[in-house]
Structures are given as structure tokens and as C-alpha cells.
């Protein structure tokens, strides 16, 4: 059922929970100190009950449940508020606790979930991480869902999550907890909307400019529980030599995204310069189309692909082309007549599947699968599939003499040289892996516990989560060994610049950077990022049963489907 922002908060005076690390402890899921204002983004988290945080013994578990019926000393309080799409939890605490968290009963059923006093906790927020209960009969077992932003200062910790993350309940009951202190339970009712809408749906909504295309789009569909995984063969050595030092790991492929329907109309002319090295800004040919593009937005002359996704003045119709150029001092833009008819790669942002576009190696989307502005930031989580480029002559399987076997759905084509004997896909390594094609869906298998594989950086952990839950499509080729992700570089700004500001090091790196150390001899933050990328690539597998009728492999999606548009 859809919910509105009308809410009623009711404090329920009930039994409280004594929680103390040690005898009868509710074990911490992470070793983070909440007094560190950067804790939510600067420390590694471990799933509750993981080897590093230790499950409670059966005797400790029994004493925990016994303690739940007694009053808890100390001072703690929990308050809950909401908007139309989110729920905010605020816990007050004292001192510098090891952890601070909220246990949430989303189905109002004390017999399900982890038993804490009078509630059965279906979800747990601890420090900067969000978990779903995965145990039974009171066992301590949780599944990591995603990072969640923690705002903490002066004895107050606050988190905001989407209602859909909790299954869009009508009401919840929760308790706040830090170290040996818990709050009284708080019940919170989410009133149903007064009119319109269909029952049973999520109240969360999304902005099509930031999260486009239909929920069933390949870019929005999560990996399914029915996914089958086969080897990708992707691997890069951990001891780089002088040649491998320069392997791009990762590299960014910049997507020219212009979603500004109120900007002045700009003429986009045909240029046949393409990738010849000539001047793409030279006096233009015939008018190709007109589109709203900010006058100050510049794409300099280059030999880059510069695939563009441009929103027309109606605010819904997306067109795509390449190679796009808009030089400083020019009132117009240029591109080749690619596609030959704009309608071939034209989509409605809300109803379209967004599948095809200006990636020449596959004809897959420019907009879909891109790491956008505002994504991969501390405390956020990307909830869509990504796009990657690989060195096709080494990483893709041989398909010499059979062009149609060089690519797989959702790709519509492959590079023109793909089937060439001696120079096509797989030719440099005699790669016989037939699962590795242009358009293949790569993902980290759901069975991999991301909290124990050795990820070190905040963005690396977030990226790994997305690749496990949504995966990434191979959309293009690169000219040397390495691995690219598509990122936004458009009218709204540069994701590369945003990433640098957030983390203090560039998005782009090289394999050799994983050996970089600081003054203390420890790996630098960028070394940890590059190391994470290399590790993530090792864990990627091909989803072999991805198809138009079983996107992501079929079965129950690992994450909720994308919500309705606002």
C-alpha cells in the first residue's frame, strides 16, 4: 500500500533490552567507533555474526534474551520521522560507544525476526551499514544490504533510509541501542494516502533525470536468485611488472550527458571527421537535430568516443549520438550521423527500456549503466547495473569467422573487427571462453560474502555491492589491457571531479598503484582503491542465463525493483 508523509508516532512503554558487549552481549557488526565523525565512510564493516565480530555463544544468547525483560541502565532515546519516501531514525547516546544502532520490526510480528525485548527485528542499522535478518529461531545471522549514511555529533546519531528498503510497511516498531544501553521501543504508523494510487505498492518514488527508464529495463533489473554463474577468466596479477604497472585499473569512460530540457535550443550539425584526428568543430555539414544544451557546456575537439545522451525540450525524450563535440566559442555542436535515424536510439525516460545507444562496440546505451553525479558517494548506494569496457582481444572469447557469435543480448552488435582471424576478439590470448562476449552480464555471485574478501576502500565496497546485486554489462572495447567504468561527464558536472573531492584521490588508476605506500609504509588510499578494483575483477563471473525473458538470470530479484516515478 502506498504511504504518505502523514504519520503518527506512539511511544510504547515496554520491556527494554540490556545490551553489553561480553556476557549476554548483542554482538557488534563492526568495530567502528561512532565518535569518529567519518566512521560511516572511513571504516570497514563486517556483517553481524561474521568471523571478525564473533557470534554470541549459546549461553550468551540465552542471557541476552533473559536480559531483554529487564530495565536497561543509562540514557538512550529513539525518535522516528518520515517523508513521502524516507524514514529517519535518530538515537541519542552518551560517551564514545563502540557502536550505535537501530533494530527495526517492519512486520509488527515479534515471533519473526531477531527477538529483542517485545519486538522481532527484521532489519538492523549499525553505524554506517544496513542489514536484513537472515536467521531463524533467534539465531544471530544477518545479510548485509548496503551502506547507509550516518550523521553523528554531540551525542546524536541519525540515519535516513528509503521506505522501500524496509519493504514499504504500514507501520514499524524499533529500538535504539548503543553499547550497554537501549531505548524504550517506539512504534510509528505510516498513514495510507487519502486518495489515488494502487494498494500494496511502495511509497518511494524516483526522479527520471537521476534514475531513468522502466523498472524492467536491463539497467534497473537486479540480479535474480535464479542466476547461474560461469567463469569470466578476468584476472590481473597482484605483482605487477614494468609492463603491467601501466594497465588501467580502473579507467573511466566519460559519457556526455545533457539532461537540461529548459536550456536554449542548440543546432547539432553532421560532421564526418569522426576519429580521423581532424577538427570536429570545423564548419558543419547538414543540420542533424536541435536540442536544449546549455551555452556554457563544452566538449572539446578530440578523438574520444564522446557518446552523448541529450534530453529534448519535452523533458521525456532522450536522443543519443556520437562522437559529440561542442567547442568553446561555437554556438552549435557536431556529431556524425550516428545513428542514421535518431529514433533508433530514442527513448522515453519513464516508459522506455533504454537498452540501445551510442556505445559503438555493442550499440548499448549512453545513459543507462553510467555512474552518475551523486552516486558512489559516501553513504550512498547505486541501485542499477553498470557498464564496463574490456580489452576485447584478450578478455573476450574467439569468434573468428562468425560475427553473430561475437556478441550476445542485450548487445545489438560487436566491433567491426571482432570476427577477424588473427586480430579479432580473443586473438591475443587464444581465449576459448565462449561465455565472454560483447554484451555479457558480469556479476559477483550472490554466494560471495563481500565483508570477508578483503575490500579496503569505501568506494570499493560500495561498487562491489552494486556489482553483486545488479552487475555490469560489457559494452565496448578498450585498446590495451585494463578495465573501464562509464561515468558521467556532462552538463551537470564531472563524476571524476566529484569522486576526487569525496575521497582525495582520482577515480582513474593503474594496476601498479596498488603498491603505493604512504609515509608510514601502509598502502595509500588510492592503493586500496586500485587493490579493490583488482580484487573485484577477480570475483566477477558471467551470468550465463541472462536473457530477454530472464533479465539478471531470473528468479526472485536480490533487491527491490525500481520504484515508480515521482
Amino acid at each position: 500500500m502506498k504511504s504518505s508523509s502523514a504519520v503518527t508516532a506512539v511511544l510504547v512503554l515496554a520491556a527494554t533490552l540490556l545490551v553489553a558487549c561480553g556476557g549476554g552481549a548483542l554482538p557488534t557488526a563492526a568495530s567502528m567507533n561512532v565518535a569518529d565523525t567519518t566512521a560511516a565512510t572511513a571504516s570497514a564493516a563486517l556483517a553481524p555474526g561474521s568471523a571478525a565480530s564473533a557470534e554470541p555463544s549459546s549461553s550468551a544468547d540465552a542471557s541476552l534474551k533473559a536480559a531483554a525483560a529487564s530495565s536497561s541502565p543509562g540514557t538512550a532515546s529513539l525518535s522516528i520521522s518520515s517523508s513521502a519516501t524516507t524514514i529517519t531514525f535518530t538515537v541519542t547516546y552518551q560517551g564514545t560507544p563502540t557502536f550505535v544502532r537501530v533494530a527495526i520490526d517492519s512486520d509488527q510480528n515479534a515471533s519473526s525476526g531477531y527477538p529483542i525485548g517485545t519486538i522481532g527485528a527484521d532489519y538492523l542499522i549499525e553505524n554506517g551499514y544496513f542489514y536484513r535478518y537472515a536467521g531463524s529461531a533467534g539465531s544471530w545471522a544477518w545479510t548485509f544490504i548496503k551502506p547507509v549514511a550516518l550523521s553523528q555529533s554531540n551525542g546524536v546519531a541519525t540515519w535516513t533510509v528509503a521506505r522501500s528498503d524496509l519493504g514499504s510497511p504500514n507501520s514499524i516498531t524499533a529500538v535504539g541501542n548503543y553499547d550497554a544501553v537501549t531505548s524504550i521501543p517506539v512504534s510509528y504508523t505510516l498513514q495510507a494516502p487519502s486518495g489515488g494510487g494502487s494498494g500494496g505498492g511502495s511509497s518511494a518514488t524516483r526522479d527520471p533525470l537521476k534514475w531513468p527508464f522502466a523498472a524492467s529495463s536491463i539497467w534497473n533489473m537486479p540480479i535474480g536468485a535464479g542466476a547461474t554463474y560461469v567463469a569470466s577468466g578476468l584476472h590481473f596479477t597482484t605483482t605487477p611488472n614494468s609492463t603491467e604497472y601501466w594497465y588501467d585499473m580502473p579507467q573511466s569512460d566519460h559519457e556526455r550527458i545533457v539532461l537540461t530540457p529548459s536550456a536554449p535550443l542548440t543546432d547539432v550539425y553532421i560532421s564526418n571527421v569522426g576519429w580521423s584526428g581532424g577538427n570536429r568543430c570545423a564548419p558543419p555539414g547538414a543540420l542533424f537535430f536541435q536540442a536544449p544544451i546549455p551555452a556554457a557546456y563544452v566538449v572539446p575537439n578530440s578523438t574520444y568516443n564522446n557518446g552523448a545522451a541529450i534530453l529534448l525540450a519535452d523533458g521525456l525524450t532522450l536522443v543519443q549520438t556520437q562522437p559529440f563535440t561542442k567547442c568553446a566559442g561555437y554556438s552549435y555542436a557536431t556529431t556524425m550521423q550516428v545513428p542514421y535515424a535518431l529514433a533508433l536510439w530514442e527513448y522515453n525516460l519513464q516508459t522506455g527500456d533504454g537498452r540501445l545507444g551510442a556505445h559503438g562496440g555493442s550499440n548499448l546505451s549512453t545513459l543507462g549503466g553510467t555512474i552518475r553525479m551523486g552516486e558512489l558517494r559516501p553513504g550512498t548506494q547505486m541501485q542499477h547495473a553498470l557498464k564496463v569496457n574490456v580489452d576485447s582481444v584478450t578478455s573476450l572469447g574467439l569468434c573468428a569467422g562468425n560475427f553473430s557469435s561475437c556478441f550476445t543480448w542485450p548487445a545489438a552488435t560487436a566491433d567491426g573487427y571482432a570476427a577477424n582471424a588473427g586480430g579479432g576478439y580473443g586473438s591475443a590470448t587464444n581465449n576459448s571462453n565462449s561465455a565472454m562476449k560483447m554484451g555479457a552480464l558480469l556479476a559477483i555471485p550472490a554466494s560471495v560474502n563481500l565483508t570477508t574478501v578483503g575490500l579496503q576502500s569505501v568506494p570499493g565496497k560500495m561498487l562491489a555491492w552494486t556489482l553483486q546485486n545488479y552487475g555490469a554489462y560489457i559494452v565496448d572495447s578498450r585498446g590495451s589491457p585494463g578495465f573501464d567504468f562509464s561515468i558521467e561527464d556532462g552538463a551537470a558536472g564531472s563524476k571524476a571531479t566529484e569522486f576526487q573531492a569525496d575521497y582525495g584521490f582520482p577515480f582513474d588508476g593503474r594496476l601498479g598503484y596498488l603498491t603505493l605506500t604512504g609515509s608510514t609504509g601502509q598502502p595509500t588510499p588510492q592503493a586500496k582503491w586500485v587493490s579493490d578494483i583488482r580484487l573485484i575483477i577477480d570475483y566477477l563471473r558471467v551470468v550465463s542465463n541472462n536473457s530477454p525473458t530472464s533479465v539478471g538470470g531470473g528468479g526472485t530479484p536480490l533487491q527491490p525493483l525500481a520504484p515508480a516515478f515521482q
Side-chain angles (χ1 to χ4, degrees):
M1 178 178 292
K2 289 189 176 181
S3 303
S4 72
S5 59
V7 294
T8 303
V10 182
L11 290 178
V12 178
L13 298 177
T16 57
L17 170 65
L18 174 62
V19 182
C21 291
L26 187 64
T28 178
S31 58
M32 302 162 67
N33 188 329
V34 75
D36 181 358
T37 59
T38 62
T41 60
S43 300
L46 299 168
S50 69
S53 60
E55 288 189 8
S57 67
S58 57
S59 60
D61 187 45
S63 66
L64 166 64
K65 292 173 182 176
S70 65
S71 294
S72 163
T75 302
S77 67
L78 168 69
S79 62
I80 306 173
S81 61
S82 72
S83 70
T85 60
T86 62
I87 303 176
T88 297
F89 300 93
T90 300
V91 173
T92 62
Y93 61 88
Q94 295 177 332
T96 56
T98 303
F99 61 84
V100 61
R101 58 187 167 201
V102 180
I104 306 162
D105 184 345
S106 64
D107 62 6
Q108 301 290 279
N109 184 355
S111 64
S112 65
Y114 186 80
I116 300 177
T118 58
I119 76 170
D122 305 297
Y123 296 92
L124 181 72
I125 304 172
E126 180 176 289
N127 295 337
Y129 300 88
F130 185 39
Y131 304 89
R132 180 189 301 113
Y133 186 59
S136 61
S139 63
W140 181 254
W142 301 85
T143 296
F144 172 67
I145 299 176
K146 63 182 180 180
V148 61
L150 165 63
S151 172
Q152 177 273 325
S153 65
N154 299 321
V156 179
T158 303
W159 308 262
T160 298
V161 299
R163 290 186 181 185
S164 57
D165 286 341
L166 300 176
S168 301
N170 294 325
S171 59
I172 59 174
T173 300
V175 294
N177 163 239
Y178 70 93
D179 286 353
V181 184
T182 60
S183 72
I184 60 174
V186 175
S187 290
Y188 192 88
T189 300
L190 305 173
Q191 301 278 338
S194 58
S198 57
S202 167
S203 63
T205 59
R206 56 189 168 115
D207 180 350
L209 297 182
K210 298 178 180 178
W211 190 355
F213 304 132
S216 58
S217 164
I218 62 167
W219 308 114
N220 290 328
M221 280 296 292
I223 300 296
T228 57
Y229 303 91
V230 299
S232 68
L234 292 170
H235 173 73
F236 292 88
T237 179
T238 58
T239 54
N241 59 33
S242 59
T243 300
E244 290 158 344
Y245 183 96
W246 297 105
Y247 288 179
D248 297 318
M249 187 78 53
Q251 191 81 355
S252 55
D253 189 2
H254 292 216
E255 307 284 42
R256 306 299 181 173
I257 295 172
V258 184
L259 309 181
T260 54
S262 62
L265 280 181
T266 300
D267 294 332
V268 180
Y269 291 97
I270 296 171
S271 167
N272 293 319
V273 170
W275 293 266
S276 67
N279 184 6
R280 293 175 177 175
C281 293
L287 180 67
F288 191 14
F289 63 95
Q290 291 181 312
I293 302 172
Y297 180 57
V298 170
V299 180
N301 179 55
S302 71
T303 57
Y304 298 145
N305 286 335
N306 286 345
I310 305 172
L311 187 62
L312 298 185
D314 63 5
L316 287 173
T317 304
L318 183 81
V319 297
Q320 300 169 88
T321 186
Q322 71 163 346
F324 181 79
T325 303
K326 186 176 181 294
C327 292
Y330 289 78
S331 61
Y332 58 83
T334 68
T335 181
M336 293 185 73
Q337 193 170 353
V338 177
Y340 66 85
L342 284 177
L344 294 177
W345 298 343
E346 186 174 283
Y347 291 98
N348 182 295
L349 280 190
Q350 296 189 13
T351 61
D353 67 16
R355 174 188 157 212
L356 299 179
H359 268 278
S362 63
N363 281 359
L364 286 173
S365 179
T366 308
L367 179 60
T370 298
I371 300 176
R372 301 287 305 280
M373 295 291 295
E375 296 182 331
L376 201 61
R377 306 196 71 190
T380 67
Q381 191 57 66
M382 294 179 291
Q383 294 177 288
H384 61 78
L386 303 180
K387 295 179 299 198
V388 297
N389 303 340
V390 300
D391 184 33
S392 296
V393 297
T394 61
S395 298
L396 300 188
L398 289 164
C399 54
N402 185 3
F403 185 79
S404 64
S405 70
C406 299
F407 62 96
T408 186
W409 185 91
T413 191
D415 289 289
Y417 65 87
N420 292 352
Y425 289 175
S427 60
T429 54
N430 202 31
N431 191 335
S432 61
N433 188 347
S434 60
M436 285 292 286
K437 303 174 184 285
M438 188 62 67
L441 175 60
L442 304 175
I444 298 174
S447 60
V448 175
N449 184 348
L450 296 178
T451 65
T452 63
V453 299
L455 296 167
Q456 303 174 71
S457 70
V458 170
K461 292 171 186 177
M462 293 191 291
L463 184 64
W465 183 91
T466 296
L467 289 170
Q468 184 174 66
N469 288 278
Y470 292 89
Y473 288 95
I474 300 174
V475 301
D476 234 326
S477 298
R478 49 175 294 114
S480 61
F483 203 80
D484 301 347
F485 290 93
S486 295
I487 68 173
E488 180 173 5
D489 189 355
S494 163
K495 179 62 205 174
T497 300
E498 184 177 66
F499 186 94
Q500 173 85 48
D502 282 337
Y503 299 110
F505 55 85
F507 183 96
D508 289 4
R510 298 191 185 279
L511 181 62
Y513 291 1
L514 63 86
T515 65
L516 297 177
T517 57
S519 58
T520 62
Q522 298 301 307
T524 65
Q526 187 175 25
K528 294 177 181 180
W529 164 242
V530 172
S531 178
D532 284 351
I533 297 299
R534 191 210 60 78
L535 184 63
I536 286 168
I537 291 171
D538 273 1
Y539 277 99
L540 288 175
R541 302 292 183 266
V542 180
V543 179
S544 60
N545 60 340
N546 181 57
S547 75
T549 57
S550 60
V551 181
T556 303
L558 298 185
Q559 294 297 321
L561 299 184
F565 291 105
Q566 61 189 30

